[in-house]
Amino acid sequence: MALTKVTKELIQGGLGIDWQATVKTGNFQAVASQGYFVNTTSNEIIVTMPPSPAVGDIVSIVDYAGTAQTNNIKITAQANINGSANDVKIDYQRGAVSIIYSGTAQGWLAEYAANDGTNALVNSPPAISMNYLIVAGGGGGGSDFAGGGGAGGYKTNFGGTALTLSSSTNYNLQVGIGGTSGSGAGGDGGNSIFNTITSTGGGGGGANAGRTGRNGGSGGGGSYVGYNGGSASPSGQGNNGGSGSPDVSSNAASGGGGGGASGVGVSSTTKNTGGNGGAGLLNNIDGLNNYYAGGGGGGIGANSTGSPGSGGSGGGGTGSNGNGAATAGTSNTGGGGGGGGQGGNGGNGGSGIVILRYPDSYNITVVSGLTAGTLNTSVGSNEKYSTFTAGTGTITFS
């Protein structure tokens, strides 16, 4: 019997498709009316669709080795795909898709697919390369012959390997609060978080009651009579706090400095002089060349003849001389609070900060619960940054 019409089964069987004998193992430019066996055993492969398609043009793609669920077949085009500028991917085993061009509005569409489940061409938004600075809240300084608070934990990838994110995805973000100072050891700072990255709050400074400095992003300074400073824990976010003076007499005693992002807190080697807070680090992610995460200085007794410890660069507070109040860590730097002198309170730790830098083709939107110091501000070459100064919530890129 003669064939009188082209059936759907013949079209889906490959009529008019010139199947290429050479299996593709790397990125390639597709040609209309051709079919390709694509082997992703070793790597993801990007297929670029024809640049000037006509309505009815078809390209066929088959997952040759059954590995697309591990290494995807990514499909990109100058025209829309499924009505969107986003790329798509085949991310399921033995995927086989014929893709037809429908016109400018919807662009390339899946005309026929096998083994696809519910979605032949899975939406695959372009990756966003992003840099971050995440500083936790600084620890509070201790009270009464006390050590300075440790700086908040400091994490950044600015100048290194960018973090890869996706658009239209909600990401959690939290800015750590500063630790408070009361009648004893200083309180620890709060953690700052972006997505899966956590910077740990700074450790509180030791005091007459609770003399050892607390552990944190950077450790708090120890109190008088040689009590040790706290440790940087987990490691890699800051430095240890210094120890208090080894002796005390006539109400003259001094605390150690809290650790900072780039330096340890200085130990007090004499009863008359407080230890300086450890230095913070300069970061130019927002083009402003600010320092962050300095440790708080140690306080001294009323009869001490020297000086209280100074705060480390990056917002560390100065210790108290006698029963006066110590200086708080600077807000939005993660600086540790200064240690209190004899009978005096320490300073509260400075709150933390999160700064994100990303391509200027995207904007950040606050979905919930955050205070933004600035949003989507141009910086550098074709980039923007956003600064978050308080709260817990979520953001998204669009």
Side-chain angles (χ1 to χ4, degrees):
M1 180 178 177
L3 180 66
T4 59
K5 64 179 180 179
V6 177
T7 66
K8 177 181 179 182
E9 288 73 17
L10 280 173
I11 294 173
Q12 293 177 348
L15 182 66
I17 295 296
D18 180 14
W19 286 94
Q20 303 303 293
T22 301
V23 176
K24 297 293 187 180
T25 58
N27 301 340
F28 66 95
Q29 170 82 59
V31 176
S33 300
Q34 290 190 359
Y36 302 93
F37 301 104
V38 181
N39 184 352
T40 66
T41 299
S42 300
N43 49 268
E44 177 186 83
I45 293 177
I46 299 173
V47 181
T48 302
M49 300 299 281
S52 300
V55 173
D57 281 353
I58 296 177
V59 172
S60 294
I61 298 169
V62 173
D63 174 23
Y64 173 80
T67 55
Q69 78 280 14
T70 302
N71 294 316
N72 302 158
I73 301 171
K74 186 175 179 179
I75 301 168
T76 187
Q78 293 181 14
N80 284 342
I81 305 176
N82 289 338
S84 169
N86 287 345
D87 298 335
V88 296
K89 59 186 176 182
I90 298 171
D91 64 355
Y92 44 91
Q93 189 175 27
R94 298 294 183 189
V97 185
S98 289
I99 308 168
I100 188 168
Y101 185 69
S102 67
T104 56
Q106 294 298 313
W108 295 96
L109 303 172
E111 188 271 339
Y112 170 74
N115 303 321
D116 56 307
T118 59
N119 196 348
L121 298 175
V122 180
N123 189 41
S124 179
I128 302 169
S129 295
M130 194 206 72
N131 290 293
Y132 59 80
L133 171 65
I134 305 171
V135 182
S143 298
D144 198 11
F145 302 112
Y154 175 102
K155 285 189 173 182
T156 188
N157 69 340
F158 183 60
T161 302
L163 183 67
T164 300
L165 303 175
S166 299
S167 62
S168 304
T169 299
N170 285 353
Y171 292 98
N172 61 300
L173 193 153
Q174 172 179 304
V175 180
I177 61 174
T180 57
S181 180
S183 59
D188 299 338
N191 296 345
S192 287
I193 300 169
F194 176 70
N195 195 24
T196 60
I197 304 164
T198 298
S199 290
T200 305
N208 194 357
R211 298 173 180 175
T212 300
R214 295 178 59 81
N215 299 338
S218 282
S223 184
Y224 73 111
V225 200
Y227 280 88
N228 292 330
S231 298
S233 179
S235 62
Q237 301 183 27
N239 288 278
N240 297 342
S243 59
S245 60
D247 65 303
V248 57
S249 62
S250 302
N251 294 325
S254 302
S262 71
V264 298
V266 177
S267 295
S268 174
T269 58
T270 171
K271 62 188 177 183
N272 288 311
T273 304
N276 294 334
L281 282 169
L282 182 147
N283 196 300
N284 196 34
I285 190 170
D286 55 3
L288 299 178
N289 281 311
N290 289 324
Y291 281 84
Y292 301 90
I300 61 175
N303 291 338
S304 297
T305 58
S307 302
S310 60
S313 56
T318 300
S320 170
N321 187 346
N323 60 7
T327 304
T330 304
S331 298
N332 306 131
T333 66
Q342 179 185 352
N345 289 335
N348 293 334
S351 56
I353 194 167
V354 175
I355 304 177
L356 307 179
R357 180 165 170 159
Y358 45 93
D360 65 4
S361 54
Y362 293 93
N363 283 317
I364 285 179
T365 300
V366 176
V367 178
S368 65
L370 291 163
T371 299
T374 181
L375 277 177
N376 306 310
T377 300
S378 295
V379 64
S381 177
N382 303 317
E383 291 184 306
K384 295 176 179 176
Y385 75 93
S386 292
T387 300
F388 300 92
T389 56
T392 298
T394 55
I395 63 168
T396 189
F397 293 84
S398 59

